[in-house]
Amino acid sequence: MKRDPVIILVVAMVVTIMLVFGLQMARKSSPDPSEAANKGMQGKAAPDFELKALDGKTVHLSDYRGKAVLLNFWATWCQPCKIEMPWFAELQKQYGPEGLQIVGIAVDEDASTQDLADFAGKLGVNYPILVGKESVEDLFGGVQFLPATLYINREGKIVDKVFGLKGRGEIEESIKKALEPARVAQVVNQTGK
Amino acid sequence: MRYRAAKTSVIAAVLCVPLLAQDFSQHRPPSVKMTDAGVTNVTRGKAGNVTLHFEVEHGYHVNSNTPTAEFLIPTSLKLTAPTDIVIGRITYPKGQEMSFEFAPDEKLSVYSGGFDIGVVVRPLVGVVAAKYAVRGQLKYQACDKAACYPPKQLPVDFGIQVLKNAPAAHKNPAQSPHIHR
């Protein structure tokens, strides 16, 4: 059978263009590639860890069992983190009585605990700040850039992992999702039918 | 004929690889690159200026050397010179005052696109006239419009050619103030 090399070339080009286009479309539906990569963490049990708080006390994630936890990785050099931390302080006040616990994990390598305390104090942070370790970042799939926020429901399962600054409304939606796992499960079951 | 078709397919596939590679590379961490500074001639005992050019990847910015907000990490250059070659003043450009989506009311002093850093080098009088390498690191911390990346250090190097005397300037022959005809 005689094959025209031009046709083969055109077919190969078309296939490649479709592949590239498909990838672009997939990315558009999930704007952040890291988020897409971390979708796999959703529904999984949040791994427990042990870190020191700024006051020197040892804190475990499991200490907050039964509460919805917003785990926020931040650093003093992260300007977008500065924007959302005061929001977190307000959201802690608002949703704390419903069972939300916000926990900050500072990933600065050079900042002292005093620097971290000063930074957090200036932003009105009213939730515990822990001094991060790379091993803890790795437990959650790595933190390639900041801010990075995990939403963990009352059952200890990861509801969402979000990279970059999001709008306050979006943060609040994720908090509500973390606070109401039973309701989310119900919705998922209904849509799954 | 079949061999020819297979060969054409392979060539076509190879030609298409850059398209895919380009697409996958879009989401790698931001980069700051240094343009090759080449070798600068400097006369021993005298100061010479070296300009280093850096390029920040499109869509990202780094803090300037004098960031406006507390705790931000300034872009800074640290150099190690060979013995008898003194590194003098390092001059950073003024940052661009920019505001971003994450803080529309706040102006940050940043570098984006290309920026130059000037370095004064001064070989001591007794240094042997030869080519020397100066090495160092540019510390920077990059962000895009919604996220920030951990601080990084970019290796920096450039050469200086130490000359015994200043390169001979073109001299005009001495002229008499009077014109003799």
Side-chain angles (χ1 to χ4, degrees):
Chain A
M1 199 173 85
K2 195 178 175 183
R3 290 194 180 97
D4 190 340
V6 176
I7 292 172
I8 293 167
L9 187 72
V10 168
V11 168
M13 292 289 277
V14 167
V15 168
T16 310
I17 288 165
M18 284 171 74
L19 202 61
V20 172
F21 183 72
L23 280 167
Q24 297 281 12
M25 291 301 286
R27 285 196 179 123
K28 271 180 191 167
S29 61
S30 175
D32 191 321
S34 303
E35 278 176 42
N38 287 301
K39 290 286 178 199
M41 292 199 78
Q42 287 185 10
K44 289 193 176 165
D48 196 15
F49 60 77
E50 179 186 293
L51 287 173
K52 291 269 184 205
L54 292 181
D55 59 7
K57 285 181 187 166
T58 303
V59 174
H60 298 86
L61 179 61
S62 52
D63 295 344
Y64 304 110
R65 196 162 284 157
K67 289 189 167 191
V69 178
L70 185 159
L71 210 56
N72 174 239
F73 290 86
W74 64 276
T76 55
W77 43 259
C78 168
Q79 200 66 1
C81 301
K82 262 175 84 175
I83 306 300
E84 61 179 16
M85 285 167 78
W87 295 345
F88 289 150
E90 286 171 16
L91 292 165
Q92 178 61 61
K93 270 188 201 162
Q94 191 179 341
Y95 291 97
E98 290 182 40
L100 174 72
Q101 182 57 61
I102 297 179
V103 178
I105 299 182
V107 300
D108 286 73
E109 282 183 5
D110 302 328
S112 66
T113 49
Q114 190 56 53
D115 288 339
L116 299 176
D118 289 349
F119 185 90
K122 280 178 188 170
L123 297 173
V125 166
N126 55 359
Y127 49 86
I129 296 291
L130 313 180
V131 181
K133 283 182 188 165
E134 207 173 324
S135 57
V136 172
E137 294 171 32
D138 292 343
L139 286 175
F140 292 95
V143 177
Q144 294 86 2
F145 49 95
L146 297 174
T149 305
L150 283 114
Y151 297 87
I152 301 163
N153 70 14
R154 294 178 200 266
E155 294 164 355
K157 288 183 178 170
I158 297 168
V159 176
D160 221 345
K161 182 176 178 183
V162 177
F163 279 103
L165 178 68
K166 302 292 171 190
R168 187 180 162 142
E170 212 173 320
I171 293 170
E172 212 166 335
E173 281 307 308
S174 294
I175 287 174
K176 285 177 186 169
K177 213 160 80 174
L179 281 167
E180 298 173 19
R183 190 175 150 227
V184 171
Q186 203 179 346
V187 171
V188 169
N189 286 341
Q190 280 171 355
T191 51
K193 275 181 187 176
Chain B
M1 195 62 190
R2 189 171 289 174
Y3 171 74
R4 197 177 153 193
K7 200 171 140 187
T8 313
S9 303
V10 169
I11 292 168
V14 168
L15 286 172
C16 293
V17 164
L19 273 173
L20 282 168
Q22 193 181 15
D23 188 63
F24 281 117
S25 67
Q26 279 176 3
H27 298 295
R28 62 190 157 71
S31 75
V32 175
K33 287 179 182 165
M34 180 184 153
T35 309
D36 184 10
V39 178
T40 306
N41 291 336
V42 185
T43 307
R44 59 186 181 189
K46 292 187 175 174
N49 295 306
V50 180
T51 302
L52 306 176
H53 182 74
F54 298 91
E55 282 288 334
V56 182
E57 191 173 340
H58 177 71
Y60 299 92
H61 62 269
V62 298
N63 297 315
S64 76
N65 181 248
T66 50
T68 46
E70 194 185 5
F71 292 110
L72 294 184
I73 295 173
T75 295
S76 63
L77 180 66
K78 281 193 178 159
L79 296 170
T80 311
T83 316
D84 294 338
I85 293 177
V86 179
I87 299 293
R89 188 184 170 85
I90 295 176
T91 311
Y92 297 90
K94 195 169 177 268
Q96 301 162 255
E97 300 284 309
M98 291 174 81
S99 54
F100 297 91
E101 274 178 46
F102 54 75
D105 301 329
E106 192 176 359
K107 294 242 176 193
L108 298 179
S109 175
V110 302
Y111 302 143
S112 63
F115 65 95
D116 292 337
I117 296 178
V119 181
V120 173
V121 288
R122 185 183 157 89
L124 298 182
V125 179
V127 72
V128 176
K131 189 179 161 189
Y132 295 87
V134 179
R135 295 196 170 86
Q137 286 183 322
L138 181 82
K139 188 175 181 182
Y140 67 91
Q141 190 268 305
C143 295
D144 60 25
K145 60 183 180 180
C148 291
Y149 297 79
K152 273 192 157 188
Q153 296 203 332
L154 173 74
V156 168
D157 70 284
F158 60 91
I160 56 166
Q161 178 71 50
V162 177
L163 307 171
K164 280 183 184 173
N165 301 104
H170 178 72
K171 287 179 183 173
N172 289 324
Q175 278 186 330
S176 164
H178 304 290
I179 299 168
H180 302 282
R181 290 190 178 172

